[in-house]
Amino acid sequence: MTNIVIYDLETDSSKTDFLSILEFGAILLNDTFQELDHINLRARIPEGVIPQASALLVNKISVRMLTQSNLSHYQLLGEIEKTFKKWSPAIFMGYSNVNFDCEAIRKEFFKGLRYPYITNAAPNKRQDGLNIVRAAYAVDKKIFKTEVNEKGNAVMKLESLARNNGIETKGAHSALFDANLTKLLLEKIYKTQNVTWKSALMTASRQDTENLLKKEKIFTLNEYFYGKSRLYLCCPLHPDFSVHPIYKWSIVYDLRNDVIPLLNLSISELKKEMKKSPKFLRTVRTNKAPVILHSDYGMKVEPYNAIKLSQLKERAEVINNNKQFAERISTALREEAEEKKTTSSQEDITPEESIYVKFTSAKDNALMPKWHEASWKDKFILLNKFDDERLVNFGKKIIYQNSDALPESEQKKVKRSIAERILSENKEKWWTVKEFYNECDYHRSKFEDQNDQEKLKFLDELNNYVEGIEKKYQNA
């Protein structure tokens, strides 16, 4: 039996490197979708943080909620960690969680001196509800009624999809409510298209996905491009060179393309062909919860249904067995990645953005639980035992935001560093006071035209709150 955790977050920003989690909702299910437990928590915004007005307008988190919730932000992260540990092992999923919610938790835990990879470190795994919904819709468009956007594509936003399929959505954009919407959509797939549900659970970890790709000679890959969910009939390259040499994702061949003209091309010629459309190579991001289906699904759709089955199988056999071809592709991919690296931005990376640049050590990871168990005064002393300077600085900021246990000199340093960030006049990666006022003025103008007094009052309260933060830090 595999338990499922469906969770959702509400945050003060859309930028995962710099946001704060303000609300957490999660549901624990067994493998037949029976609810075993649920939780919903709300927290105060951390001291000295400037929120995005746009984010709060969407999730309707007021100044009162920002400042008067029972839990501090620090306590909320502790409760999330405790809940996930209690519900493990499980497959963790949300709606677009791989790109947002999971990243938010990882980075918040990293900044909060907690082990970041709690949702996917063995024995836990992760999937993405949006990936599963898109795959189910690609297999059978009748499974969901959808709105259509101006480009003629099906709208897959959570609230829209739920509403159009008879699910009450008046409480959308609160964490537990959105987690439940995700549950109801996935339960429909579980009941009416169970093969897609089961397929999705088979690719809930990097290792499981890689093993599946090594085992299957031909398979259907679901991908989402330009607003459409599509099915691609693919096969793996020779097993010795089936993984990207730099990024470590699986590289597969799209069987719509005749492989014979490519087999004897040089590396430089292959690089030219790789830039042409339609692509003959596809990247399977094995750590990003792809959905891989049986080959029958891809064979039924264009352009694969116009190619003889014997021809598709022959192409796959040639590609599976041709080590030299796979090796040249691997070399071409390596050269492309190295060229891209030399031309990439040299912009300074802040500590908050560095989670994947340098992983925390096993020694520091082992110290984290002891740090949280200590008193605030002892927390400061224990920081000396961490090797990673990023964690030391994160720790000082946490102590500053939650107690008066920092020595006065350290307290002044932290306060000054916060002031330098939030009072910056430049365009920054994080939200500044200046950026907030500009954003607030934009929304105020729009709501004045609409005579929306409720939202104007919301903005005025938020504006007053930020003014208070600005005054506090002006003389830091």
Side-chain angles (χ1 to χ4, degrees):
M1 178 183 285
T2 302
N3 285 342
I4 307 293
V5 175
I6 298 177
Y7 69 97
D8 186 74
L9 308 174
E10 300 299 336
T11 65
D12 68 342
S13 171
S14 58
K15 298 183 177 185
T16 58
D17 292 311
F18 300 101
L19 59 69
S20 302
I21 298 172
L22 301 176
E23 191 177 346
F24 165 72
I27 305 167
L28 176 65
L29 307 167
N30 65 14
D31 58 0
T32 60
F33 270 79
Q34 293 175 313
E35 183 174 322
L36 305 176
D37 202 355
H38 70 268
I39 191 169
N40 193 54
L41 301 170
R42 193 189 295 277
R44 302 186 295 276
I45 194 169
E47 166 66 32
V49 170
I50 305 298
Q52 269 187 358
S54 301
L56 301 186
L57 283 165
V58 170
N59 55 37
K60 299 174 184 173
I61 295 178
S62 66
V63 170
R64 183 181 63 80
M65 295 174 184
L66 286 177
T67 58
Q68 296 180 25
S69 295
N70 290 334
L71 294 175
S72 68
H73 174 260
Y74 173 79
Q75 290 170 326
L76 175 68
L77 295 186
E79 289 299 315
I80 294 173
E81 183 180 48
K82 185 167 75 174
T83 300
F84 281 178
K85 283 181 176 179
K86 182 173 73 172
W87 289 355
S88 297
I91 299 177
F92 291 81
M93 61 181 73
Y95 204 80
S96 193
N97 59 291
V98 166
N99 289 326
F100 185 78
D101 302 74
C102 189
E103 287 298 307
I105 285 176
R106 283 182 177 182
K107 291 168 183 177
E108 281 275 74
F109 275 30
F110 169 56
K111 293 180 290 183
L113 275 66
R114 301 179 189 276
Y115 180 66
Y117 305 101
I118 189 168
T119 61
N120 68 305
N124 291 334
K125 300 179 182 182
R126 67 172 183 168
Q127 242 307 343
D128 192 315
L130 178 57
N131 290 356
I132 301 171
V133 165
R134 285 172 172 170
Y137 188 76
V139 168
D140 182 6
K141 289 182 171 49
K142 293 179 183 177
I143 192 169
F144 292 120
K145 296 176 184 176
T146 69
E147 290 179 312
V148 177
N149 63 21
E150 64 278 2
K151 294 182 179 179
N153 297 325
V155 175
M156 291 288 171
K157 291 181 179 178
L158 178 61
E159 186 277 335
S160 169
L161 200 59
R163 174 168 37 82
N164 279 278
N165 288 276
I167 300 171
E168 177 58 55
T169 62
K170 284 184 181 176
H173 299 301
S174 69
L176 184 60
F177 194 96
D178 283 1
N180 193 58
L181 292 185
T182 303
K183 176 218 165 192
L184 293 172
L185 291 175
L186 294 177
E187 190 171 17
K188 182 177 177 66
I189 297 170
Y190 166 79
K191 289 179 176 178
T192 63
Q193 205 183 107
N194 191 255
V195 65
T196 301
W197 172 255
K198 286 183 176 177
S199 296
L201 298 189
M202 292 171 65
T203 53
S205 75
R206 180 196 285 269
Q207 193 60 57
D208 287 350
T209 307
E210 289 177 353
N211 291 342
L212 180 67
L213 293 177
K214 287 174 183 175
K215 185 176 72 173
E216 298 295 331
K217 297 299 181 186
I218 303 179
F219 53 86
T220 301
L221 176 65
N222 173 238
E223 291 192 345
Y224 189 78
F225 287 117
Y226 305 113
K228 293 185 184 294
S229 187
R230 306 168 191 267
L231 299 177
Y232 296 91
L233 191 67
C234 301
C235 72
L237 300 178
H238 187 279
D240 287 358
F241 296 96
S242 61
V243 175
H244 195 290
I246 304 297
Y247 305 128
K248 305 306 177 187
W249 291 324
S250 291
I251 304 299
V252 300
Y253 191 91
D254 188 335
L255 288 168
R256 77 176 67 197
N257 301 279
D258 184 4
V259 70
I260 301 301
L262 303 173
L263 287 177
N264 296 314
L265 294 183
S266 66
I267 291 167
S268 61
E269 289 169 330
L270 277 173
K271 284 164 73 172
K272 289 179 184 176
E273 291 298 318
M274 284 159 57
K275 290 175 179 158
K276 294 180 181 178
S277 188
K279 303 287 187 184
F280 67 87
L281 293 179
R282 301 215 163 270
T283 301
V284 183
R285 290 168 171 79
T286 47
N287 63 335
K288 298 275 189 180
V291 178
I292 295 169
L293 303 166
H294 194 275
S295 58
D296 287 353
Y297 293 104
M299 289 177 181
K300 292 174 185 174
V301 299
E302 294 180 349
Y304 311 100
N305 58 5
I307 305 171
K308 289 181 181 179
L309 177 59
S310 58
Q311 195 172 357
L312 291 169
K313 288 183 175 180
E314 185 180 332
R315 285 179 184 175
E317 188 173 353
V318 170
I319 294 157
N320 293 159
N321 296 325
N322 196 315
K323 184 176 178 179
Q324 290 75 23
F325 176 59
E327 186 175 10
R328 286 198 297 278
I329 285 177
S330 182
T331 302
L333 290 170
R334 179 186 293 279
E335 289 182 4
E336 274 194 341
E338 288 170 350
E339 288 163 11
K340 186 177 179 182
K341 188 176 181 181
T342 58
T343 58
S344 63
S345 171
Q346 299 302 308
E347 185 179 13
D348 288 341
I349 293 176
T350 64
E352 292 88 344
E353 298 171 291
S354 68
I355 183 171
Y356 303 124
V357 175
K358 177 187 174 185
F359 292 99
T360 53
S361 68
K363 178 197 165 188
D364 283 353
N365 290 339
L367 275 173
M368 290 175 183
K370 296 174 185 176
W371 191 80
H372 292 291
E373 290 168 4
S375 69
W376 287 110
K377 285 188 176 180
D378 287 342
K379 278 181 172 61
F380 177 69
I381 297 167
L382 281 173
L383 287 176
N384 290 326
K385 295 191 175 183
F386 285 93
D387 293 333
D388 195 324
E389 193 63 26
R390 298 172 301 171
L391 299 180
V392 174
N393 289 326
F394 291 151
K396 288 178 183 178
K397 189 173 182 180
I398 292 168
I399 297 169
Y400 167 83
Q401 290 172 325
N402 291 277
S403 78
D404 58 0
L406 277 183
E408 188 176 353
S409 60
E410 292 290 348
Q411 195 170 0
K412 286 181 178 178
K413 284 180 189 175
V414 175
K415 188 175 182 181
R416 197 175 303 120
S417 69
I418 292 173
E420 286 172 358
R421 279 199 166 190
I422 66 174
L423 300 179
S424 171
E425 291 292 311
N426 300 324
K427 178 74 174 175
E428 303 288 2
K429 300 172 183 178
W430 54 88
W431 225 234
T432 63
V433 169
K434 178 183 178 181
E435 196 73 41
F436 170 84
Y437 289 150
N438 290 339
E439 177 196 28
C440 212
D441 289 344
Y442 165 77
H443 286 299
R444 189 179 285 112
S445 174
K446 182 174 62 175
F447 295 138
E448 283 172 351
D449 291 343
Q450 297 169 359
N451 196 28
D452 192 329
Q453 295 302 315
E454 184 180 350
K455 286 196 172 73
L456 286 169
K457 183 183 177 186
F458 184 96
L459 286 176
D460 285 344
E461 290 175 353
L462 201 53
N463 193 89
N464 291 337
Y465 170 71
V466 172
E467 282 182 353
I469 298 174
E470 182 183 22
K471 287 176 184 174
K472 178 174 180 178
Y473 283 90
Q474 275 176 339
N475 298 318

